[in-house]
Amino acid sequence: MSGQRAPGAELSVSDYRLLSDFRHVLRKFFVFSEESARRAKITPQQHRALLEIKAFNGQPTVGDLANRLVIKPHSAVGLADRLVRAELVVRNPDPSDRRRVTLALTANGEEKLLAVSGANRRELRRLAPLLNAVVAQLER
C-alpha cells in the first residue's frame, strides 16, 4: 500500500496556492511581530512568554508556560529564569501549596507587552482582509 494515495487526497495547484498564500500571510505577521519585539528591546520568545502569562486564565506556572509555548519544561524553566533576570516577570509562591510557584508580569513586563501587542493588533487589522480572503477560499 506504500506509495498509494487515499481517495480524495489529491490536491490541485489552486489548493497548493491557497496553502502557500495562507502561510505567507501568517509569516508576514510573525516577521512583523518579531521585529516589534526587538524594537521594544525584548526577544520574540520573551514577547510570546509575556503574552501567554498575561492571557492565561488564572496564575500560570512554568509548566503552564511550557504547554502554551509548546516547549519542553526545562526550556520553560530557563525562559522563566531569563524573564525574572530581565525584570519582566516575578515568581510568586502559592500560599496554599508551597511546591507551586506562579508567574506574573512586572510593571516593566506589562509595558513591553503593551508596546508589542498594540503594534501587533494594528498589523493584524491591516492583514485581516488578506487573511479573510484566504479563509473564504478555504471554506469553498
Side-chain angles (χ1 to χ4, degrees), residues 2 7 10-12 14 28 34-35 41 43 49 57-58 62 71 95 97 101-102 124 127 136:
S2 148
E10 294 80 20
L11 295 176
S12 68
S14 63
K28 284 177 75 162
E34 290 164 4
E35 290 170 355
K41 307 277 193 260
T43 69
N57 187 17
V62 172
I71 61 176
D97 183 352
V101 175
T102 60
L124 276 174
L127 293 173

Side-chain angles (χ1 to χ4, degrees), residues 37 40-56 60 65 68-69 79-80 82-84 86-90 103-117:
K41 307 277 193 260
I42 59 175
T43 69
Q45 187 182 43
Q46 287 173 328
H47 168 251
R48 289 189 298 270
L50 295 176
L51 179 61
E52 292 303 336
I53 293 166
K54 180 71 173 183
F56 194 80
L65 184 61
R68 292 295 301 174
L69 293 176
L79 176 57
R82 291 187 299 278
L83 290 167
V84 169
E87 299 180 349
L88 298 169
V89 167
V90 292
L103 302 171
L105 301 185
T106 63
N108 186 35
E110 293 272 0
E111 182 181 310
K112 302 284 186 181
L113 178 62
L114 179 59
V116 179
S117 295

